[in-house]
Amino acid sequence: MTQPSPAKQFSVAIIGGGPAGLMAAEVLATGGVRVELFDAMPSVGRKFLLAGVGGMNITHAEAKPAFLGRYRERQDEIAALLADFDADTLRAWIHGLGIDTFVGTSGRVFPSDMKAAPLLRAWLKRLREAGVQIHTRSRWLGWNADGSLRIQGAAGEQAIQADACVLALGGGSWARLGSDGAWLPLLQERGVEIAALQPANCGFEVTAWSALLRDKFAGAPLKNVTLNLPGTAPRRGEFVLTASGVEGSLVYALSAAIREQIDQQGSSTLHLDLLPDRPLDKVEAALRKPRGSRSMAKHLHSQLGLDGVKAALLRELTTAEQFADPALLASAIKALALTLVRPRPLDEAISSAGGVRFEALDRQLMLRQLPGVFCAGEMLDWEAPTGGYLLTACFASGRAAGLGALAWLRQQPGN
């Protein structure tokens, strides 16, 4: 990552202390630039640390074509960022911090101790040794008339003069950790093209659950099921029933397509296979076996092992006619219609879609409207599912913005 130093020492201000901002800081400091980083929170990397609770999934080991496909309509732009800093390069960079990694059974990559804090500590030590100055509790408020940055700190507002600036302000989810989207109007008033922020990797609501289902099964996981959304490949995994709808990894994997269908049609209907290992004819044959005086609920349990939250959801989403007819009930078990009507609020989402459009940036991630101002991380208009894809693109975009700022500084007159 070492770059030739500019002929004179420039200064760059970085706004935002998440992975993208910290990576930009490393690239710039390594390139001989004086770097000051400002973050509104009491400490940097707060969302990064919370994402690591339960296991720090840093990237993914799947083949590059499949990996890039996770970024959907923005895969070409993300591919350019990952061209020389992909998942393997990211792992090597982590190893350079003294942190080992391993690939889990799902292909997800984790630090050997599964924790984010040791990685962040080692990284911050490297940055401080490189001369990066980190200012916390320092909120960016935009620009003064002379082009200086307005920074609100504990001692009041100050004007920061810098030769260039990297914005890495995050998206609009988890505002309590700093990603509050407050930067949107500051860029919009400067004419920067921005796509509206929307929830990504989020839960969704149904019209309403019955009181029985909500009170007894909210929080219960549905394991080993398949969700099928028209136009996408069926996905197998698990999700969780909530008081208002559904959430969890299987839902997050389809969240972009679900959200888009809701935007276009007002709702999104998925089909849930409660028994993906049993073909339809076998399910129907089991249901047609005599049940005597047993209830259908007991028959489902004895013949198919369907009980608990799966049986409750089946009963919730079928009519009395369907529930009483073996053929209709078998079809429902294999393709239970689940209609979702809205995503949960943006601030609850794991990440956000939308942000600064790539069309507003040049290839070095500099804003066309604001020369010398670069953008990186989740504030850019892209999205990806959980599984390490979010962090990988944040790291890569921060690196690209740092390199872009270095190149731009070297091109300035008198350098």
Side-chain angles (χ1 to χ4, degrees):
M1 294 172 61
T2 302
Q3 298 293 321
S5 298
K8 74 172 194 177
Q9 188 176 45
F10 288 101
S11 66
V12 174
I14 295 176
I15 312 298
L22 295 174
M23 183 59 82
E26 179 172 337
V27 169
L28 287 159
T30 303
V33 172
R34 182 167 60 84
V35 178
E36 289 191 80
L37 185 147
F38 302 88
D39 193 281
M41 293 289 101
S43 58
V44 298
R46 293 170 82 86
K47 189 174 180 181
F48 179 73
L49 289 173
L50 187 59
V53 173
M56 179 76 258
N57 178 199
I58 200 79
T59 188
H60 203 288
E62 73 181 345
K64 185 167 287 189
F67 192 104
L68 294 175
R70 304 296 185 179
Y71 300 97
R72 305 180 77 238
E73 65 272 11
R74 288 300 191 184
Q75 64 179 291
D76 289 345
E77 289 85 354
I78 300 300
L81 301 178
L82 299 181
D84 58 356
F85 198 80
D86 59 11
D88 291 336
T89 313
L90 175 56
R91 290 184 70 187
W93 175 83
I94 293 170
H95 298 162
L97 289 170
I99 306 293
D100 291 331
T101 61
F102 72 94
V103 180
T105 54
S106 65
R108 298 185 179 205
V109 177
F110 303 89
S112 56
D113 61 3
M114 300 288 287
K115 298 177 181 178
L119 191 160
L120 183 59
R121 282 196 301 268
W123 195 7
L124 291 177
K125 180 176 182 292
R126 175 189 285 180
L127 292 174
R128 291 190 175 102
E129 290 174 348
V132 175
Q133 297 180 53
I134 297 176
H135 308 275
T136 55
R137 303 181 190 273
S138 299
R139 179 173 291 276
W140 177 62
L141 302 178
W143 291 272
N144 292 303
D146 64 357
S148 60
L149 298 163
R150 297 177 57 201
I151 301 293
Q152 179 69 48
E157 185 176 325
Q158 57 179 322
I160 300 298
Q161 295 283 354
D163 297 303
C165 174
V166 177
L167 302 179
L169 288 151
S173 65
W174 296 10
R176 70 188 187 279
L177 301 179
S179 297
D180 57 10
W183 52 267
L184 267 83
L186 300 176
L187 294 185
Q188 286 174 324
E189 66 187 19
R190 297 285 178 129
V192 176
E193 187 180 0
I194 295 173
L197 295 181
Q198 299 185 79
N201 292 297
C202 60
F204 290 86
E205 298 180 4
V206 298
T207 300
W209 294 133
S210 67
L212 175 64
L213 188 73
R214 183 182 63 247
D215 295 343
K216 188 172 183 180
F217 292 102
L222 286 97
K223 298 185 177 182
N224 191 26
V225 295
T226 297
L227 273 181
N228 185 16
L229 179 67
T232 67
R235 290 180 178 269
R236 187 163 173 168
E238 65 179 80
F239 66 93
V240 175
L241 205 68
T242 69
S244 60
V246 294
E247 66 178 20
S249 59
L250 191 54
V251 175
Y252 301 156
L254 294 167
S255 63
I258 294 171
R259 186 190 68 238
E260 290 170 1
Q261 195 169 86
I262 291 173
D263 289 344
Q264 295 167 5
Q265 304 175 13
S267 66
S268 177
T269 298
L270 299 85
H271 290 92
L272 172 64
D273 187 345
L274 295 170
L275 296 173
D277 292 322
R278 297 205 187 193
L280 175 62
D281 60 336
K282 299 295 185 184
V283 173
E284 184 177 343
L287 292 176
R288 289 193 179 280
K289 291 181 180 179
R291 60 186 174 97
S293 61
R294 289 182 304 178
S295 67
M296 180 58 81
K298 289 184 178 179
H299 195 52
L300 284 168
H301 172 69
S302 64
Q303 294 299 319
L304 296 171
L306 269 182
D307 52 16
V309 65
K310 285 187 176 181
L313 187 61
L314 177 66
R315 188 68 189 91
E316 178 86 4
L317 298 177
T318 53
T319 64
E321 179 188 9
Q322 287 176 300
F323 203 72
D325 184 293
L328 295 178
L329 187 57
S331 295
I333 288 170
K334 294 299 292 179
L336 186 62
L338 174 62
T339 299
L340 307 175
V341 296
R342 71 186 66 86
R344 290 294 297 166
L346 174 60
D347 195 45
E348 293 182 15
I350 291 176
S351 59
S352 57
V356 176
R357 293 180 60 81
F358 280 90
E359 292 75 10
L361 302 160
D362 67 13
R363 292 184 178 181
Q364 296 176 321
L365 299 186
M366 185 175 75
L367 289 168
R368 300 181 190 278
Q369 294 287 108
L370 299 171
V373 179
F374 299 77
C375 295
E378 200 181 330
M379 70 182 293
L380 301 180
D381 178 25
W382 61 276
E383 64 180 303
T386 56
Y389 310 103
L390 291 165
L391 276 175
T392 303
C394 283
F395 279 107
S397 65
R399 179 177 182 273
L403 290 172
L406 276 178
W408 184 79
L409 290 171
R410 288 197 295 267
Q411 294 166 1
Q412 296 314 294
N415 181 46

